[in-house]
Amino acid sequence: MSKQSPKSKSRKEPAKVTETSVETTASNVEVPEKKELYQAKDPRREAESSQEGIIKTIVASILGILAGFIVFSQYGTGEDRIWYAILMIVIGITYYAQKLIYIPLKIDTKEFKFKDWFYVEFIVVDFFLVTWTLLLN
């Protein structure tokens, strides 16, 4: 007989299976709670969410258009300025303006996540750049 290494020995020998008798009764079995994958939609909440989304989009677009007009009146073509500095100033001012504007509109900014702020600021920047470009032409 040849001597076997521990690795080859474990491969050649079948695994030992010990059988344990488990007696289960209906009272001993715990059934995990099923999570609902589909949540029922509340029509009232869905309408409020849709309305808030429209208001956020309108406010952001108006701020972007106003920013475009203001930057054009102050800097004109902006050739003597650094363009990304102007963009960062617009983003900063409109961020804080939106925080103040949403309060009287009864939109809770504390519930905003990164995705929401990114969405509204993206709208502001888009409208700002489009308005400023149209005014430059």
Side-chain angles (χ1 to χ4, degrees), residues 10-135:
S10 64
R11 288 184 193 153
K12 292 181 181 178
E13 291 182 9
K16 294 181 181 178
V17 179
T18 59
E19 294 182 23
T20 58
S21 62
V22 179
E23 295 179 17
T24 58
T25 60
S27 62
N28 291 344
V29 176
E30 293 182 21
V31 178
E33 293 182 24
K34 293 182 180 179
K35 294 181 181 179
E36 291 185 32
L37 298 176
Y38 176 77
Q39 295 178 352
K41 293 181 181 179
D42 183 17
R44 185 182 61 207
R45 178 65 189 140
E46 194 172 312
E48 288 175 3
S49 175
S50 176
Q51 188 178 19
E52 284 182 6
I54 292 170
I55 291 172
K56 288 185 232 180
T57 304
I58 290 172
V59 168
S61 60
I62 290 172
L63 282 175
I65 292 169
L66 287 174
F69 277 107
I70 292 169
V71 169
F72 179 73
S73 68
Q74 293 294 317
Y75 300 122
T77 60
E79 292 176 355
D80 57 337
R81 304 279 188 232
I82 301 172
W83 67 270
Y84 53 85
I86 294 172
L87 190 64
M88 287 295 126
I89 290 169
V90 167
I91 289 172
I93 290 172
T94 57
Y95 171 75
Y96 288 109
Q98 287 180 76
K99 280 189 150 203
L100 296 174
I101 291 171
Y102 288 142
I103 293 171
L105 297 175
K106 298 195 180 9
I107 295 176
D108 190 16
T109 57
K110 293 177 184 175
E111 292 180 4
F112 275 32
K113 297 175 185 162
F114 175 78
K115 179 181 75 169
D116 299 319
W117 284 116
F118 185 78
Y119 165 72
V120 293
E121 286 301 321
F122 183 76
I123 298 287
V124 167
V125 169
D126 280 349
F127 274 87
F128 160 68
L129 291 175
V130 167
T131 303
W132 195 18
T133 302
L134 289 174
L135 292 172

